[in-house]
Amino acid sequence: MSFSGPILLTLQLAGVTMVLLLLIGMPIAWWLAHTKSRLRPIVEAVTALPLVLPPTVLGFYLLILMSPNTPIGAFWVRLTGEQLTFSFSGLVVASLFYSLPFAVQPMQAAFQGVGRGMMEAAATLGASRWDQFRSVVLPLSRRGILAAAVLSFAHTVGEFGVVLMVGGNIPDRTRVISIEIYSAVETLDYQTAHILSGGLLVFSFVVLVLVYLLNQRGLRAGV
Amino acid sequence: MSELLTFDLAVRKPGFKLEAAAEVPLSGITALSGPSGSGKTTLLRALAGLEPSATGRINFAGENWSRMRPARRGVGYVFQDAKLFPHLNVAQNLAYGAIRRQASEELVEAVVRALDLRPLLARSPETLSGGETRRVALGRALASAPRILLMDEPLTGLDRARKLDLMPYIAHAVADFGVPAIYVTHSAAEISFLADRTLFIEDGQLTNWSGAAPRVVGRVVNAAPGQVNLEVGRFTVWVNGQGNVGELWAVPLGQDYLLSTQDPGHSTAALTLPGVVADADPGSGLCQMDIEGQRLALAWPRVDGRVPERGTPVWLSLPRLSARPIQAEDGPESR
């Protein structure tokens, strides 16, 4: 019995999702942290929607949206030659939506914590806007960014409903750990289910301890 | 004649409106004083380019600052709460502006020396005391080679002893580095000690100017660690402070100086200077006096309703002495 396929696929999916979410989530978090726009509550609600929406609902709409019959799905087929649904790329897109709040919210809180004063101090010392962000905001937000990375990685590792809806259960393409556990239980292979579930349990626990440790140090350091 | 900072600014915020226009000489320390909420900090921030809602024009020595980004104005801003970068140590905080403005290593070294920052360089801002934090904040601004220092109540929240410790550092910074400063405060003691002129603000409007608080000026003729020997006319006196021979220092008269038409002889005063009444206005009680070659305008104490006539000998006694270095062009016109 080999678990390496689902485990590698899950780590690959979580890694790609984490990197992309940091890149996509950072500007969103920055905007939410500083905007006075009336659109802010709407954007905030949209990014937080995956927290309350059943994953199957999100998965259902993504499945519809990414199917080859829609403009987005058709465009993807033209671009890559393969369809977005039931593919690894489709899983990445779904995971981006599903884990978005776990990336945006810690970074938004971190950016708000830095405040404008530090950036103003940097500006009066000759730093351009990008320089202020790079040399002051990023280092002072590092714990929030790290928390965002860890949480979005961990949350992607643990996703099930969205993956099943969008990706199905294709070995080495879309069968991630959670799907493998589901399949194992369905076929009464409890040993596999135990090993993978126990692994995920320990992994999730370690991740949460890490996040709370980061928060505690952040509080102590006052950043 | 020094260059000018000219501005005509308006800032509108909910429940507050600032409309201020003035020409500020770019030399020495200009105090900006007024009650809390009068707009002092808002005006200072607008000059630094930190008030996005500010409209109007700012001209710094012929350069148009009206739409210039804060990073390009070359101001050294000392924030009320210091705003040191907590992720950098003191040396890195000092280097932050110095690197970006390409200040020389000699300048940074001079700032470290002038503000006694060497023992603090490796420390984290969190570990600094209130007074040390303010010194580092001033040092960080100076090390960025600013064209003007904008200081927003830099001594607020410190006890009296710490303020007295720090005021000479500020005076030295402005005099030694030749950087003009606008200094927001509502402390009469700070104005008396530091200000070469004061601009008053109330309810978002500039109300009036006043010159430096009454002072006599002396030249350093001898210097020892922590003390300088000042020559004021024919007299010399030791005062606390770090200085060099040849520098001009101001001795603010403060609130408790004494004027008399009789020689007080061997009094307990720290310094007694003889002079003569050059002009007197019985109506206002204001007397122009020539004291050791310096012209001072002082209100005569109205004990019996009379002021001394022109030519009357007078003696000015200072029970306590404090002094600060000043730039040469801020000295008395007689020099």
Side-chain angles (χ1 to χ4, degrees):
Chain A
M1 175 188 351
S2 168
F3 308 125
S4 59
I7 291 176
L8 279 178
L9 189 69
T10 305
L11 293 179
Q12 203 181 347
L13 175 65
V16 171
T17 304
M18 180 189 77
V19 171
L20 289 177
L21 268 183
L22 286 184
L23 294 175
I24 297 166
M26 204 172 279
I28 298 174
W30 180 258
W31 186 81
L32 286 173
H34 293 105
T35 187
K36 289 175 183 164
S37 164
R38 287 181 188 168
L39 291 176
R40 179 184 153 157
I42 294 168
V43 176
E44 252 178 333
V46 168
T47 55
L49 212 50
L51 289 175
V52 294
L53 212 56
T56 43
V57 173
L58 184 65
F60 172 68
Y61 283 119
L62 285 173
L63 183 68
I64 302 289
L65 200 70
M66 295 193 294
S67 89
N69 304 327
T70 63
I72 295 173
F75 173 75
W76 187 260
V77 171
R78 269 207 309 280
L79 197 70
T80 65
E82 65 168 22
Q83 65 179 48
L84 202 48
T85 47
F86 307 108
S87 71
F88 180 77
S89 306
L91 284 193
V92 171
V93 174
S95 302
L96 290 178
F97 283 101
Y98 184 55
S99 296
L100 187 65
F102 293 86
V104 169
Q105 290 185 355
M107 288 195 282
Q108 183 184 343
F111 293 153
Q112 280 167 340
V114 173
R116 282 214 177 272
M118 285 292 157
M119 293 179 66
E120 287 178 349
T124 61
L125 292 165
S128 65
R129 279 175 184 261
W130 168 246
D131 192 7
Q132 294 160 32
F133 183 74
R134 187 192 58 78
S135 63
V136 176
V137 177
L138 276 186
L140 290 179
S141 309
R142 64 189 182 279
R143 288 193 175 86
I145 295 168
L146 201 56
V150 171
L151 281 176
S152 53
F153 186 91
H155 194 242
T156 307
V157 166
E159 70 184 5
F160 174 73
V162 176
V163 171
L164 193 64
M165 295 292 281
V166 174
N169 185 359
I170 308 167
D172 295 329
R173 266 174 76 89
T174 62
R175 187 185 286 179
V176 292
I177 295 175
S178 57
I179 307 283
E180 179 74 12
I181 293 169
Y182 177 71
S183 302
V185 172
E186 271 207 317
T187 56
L188 300 180
D189 180 3
Y190 276 41
Q191 193 190 357
T192 301
H194 264 304
I195 294 170
L196 289 174
S197 299
L200 271 191
L201 184 71
V202 172
F203 171 77
S204 306
F205 178 73
V206 169
V207 163
L208 286 177
V209 169
L210 198 69
V211 168
Y212 286 123
L213 261 179
L214 282 173
N215 281 343
Q216 206 174 9
R217 286 193 190 161
L219 284 178
R220 239 182 265 145
V223 292
Chain B
M1 180 74 188
S2 62
E3 293 179 298
L4 294 172
L5 168 66
T6 312
F7 56 86
D8 185 353
L9 288 168
V11 181
R12 283 178 180 80
K13 295 178 179 179
F16 176 77
K17 190 171 77 172
L18 171 88
E19 281 176 349
E23 288 187 340
V24 179
L26 290 173
S27 68
I29 299 179
T30 304
L32 180 59
S33 185
S36 294
S38 56
K40 305 185 292 290
T41 297
T42 304
L43 176 55
L44 203 68
R45 285 174 55 81
L47 291 173
L50 300 177
E51 279 296 329
S53 62
T55 54
R57 56 178 187 83
I58 305 171
N59 188 292
F60 181 92
E63 191 175 284
N64 184 7
W65 274 13
S66 308
R67 290 174 183 275
M68 196 183 279
R69 283 178 182 274
R72 303 192 57 170
R73 295 188 188 201
V75 302
Y77 201 103
V78 183
F79 292 85
Q80 209 176 107
D81 52 354
K83 295 210 192 309
L84 298 180
F85 301 127
H87 60 299
L88 304 179
N89 66 20
V90 169
Q92 291 165 328
N93 265 281
L94 294 177
Y96 190 93
I99 291 169
R100 282 161 179 80
R101 295 251 175 81
Q102 293 166 354
S104 67
E105 280 181 29
E106 290 77 23
L107 173 69
V108 179
E109 184 57 34
V111 170
V112 168
R113 227 179 10 249
L115 298 176
D116 292 334
L117 297 177
R118 195 166 307 287
L120 309 178
L121 288 178
R123 302 246 309 261
S124 158
E126 294 162 4
T127 67
L128 301 176
S129 70
E132 289 168 340
T133 300
R134 311 305 169 96
R135 254 159 59 206
V136 175
L138 176 60
R140 183 178 69 172
L142 276 173
S144 70
R147 302 161 74 190
I148 183 168
L149 271 177
L150 302 176
M151 294 189 271
D152 186 7
E153 303 198 44
L155 304 181
T156 292
L158 298 178
D159 59 43
R160 191 178 139 76
R162 291 286 83 71
K163 283 186 183 181
L164 290 175
D165 280 349
L166 283 174
M167 281 196 284
Y169 281 112
I170 294 171
H172 266 289
V174 173
D176 297 354
F177 294 95
V179 185
I182 298 183
Y183 185 98
V184 166
T185 182
H186 47 227
S187 157
E190 287 170 42
I191 291 175
S192 166
F193 187 82
L194 289 170
D196 295 302
R197 64 197 75 83
T198 306
L199 188 52
F200 292 93
I201 184 168
E202 206 169 332
D203 290 334
Q205 305 270 332
L206 295 174
T207 51
N208 63 301
W209 278 101
S210 78
R215 63 190 188 178
V216 289
V217 175
R219 190 176 293 277
V220 177
V221 290
N222 204 347
Q227 285 202 313
V228 291
N229 194 211
L230 287 185
E231 180 189 65
V232 183
R234 294 162 294 160
F235 297 82
T236 59
V237 61
W238 285 95
V239 295
N240 290 332
Q242 202 68 46
N244 298 307
V245 172
E247 287 176 350
L248 285 182
W249 281 50
V251 181
L253 303 192
Q255 304 294 321
D256 48 2
Y257 63 86
L258 295 169
L259 284 169
S260 148
T261 52
Q262 289 174 355
D263 185 353
H266 295 287
S267 72
T268 56
L271 178 65
T272 299
L273 298 169
V276 63
V277 174
D279 199 4
D281 176 12
S284 66
L286 199 66
C287 286
Q288 302 280 343
M289 283 167 255
D290 284 331
I291 293 179
E292 289 300 306
Q294 298 180 35
R295 176 64 64 91
L296 290 176
L298 297 172
W300 192 263
R302 315 284 305 256
V303 180
D304 55 4
R306 288 189 300 170
V307 294
E309 292 174 2
R310 187 174 173 174
T312 309
V314 287
W315 282 264
L316 168 69
S317 299
L318 303 176
R320 275 186 294 273
L321 282 185
S322 61
R324 66 174 176 96
I326 55 173
Q327 285 171 283
E329 59 191 280
D330 300 323
E333 286 178 3
S334 58
R335 280 177 181 269

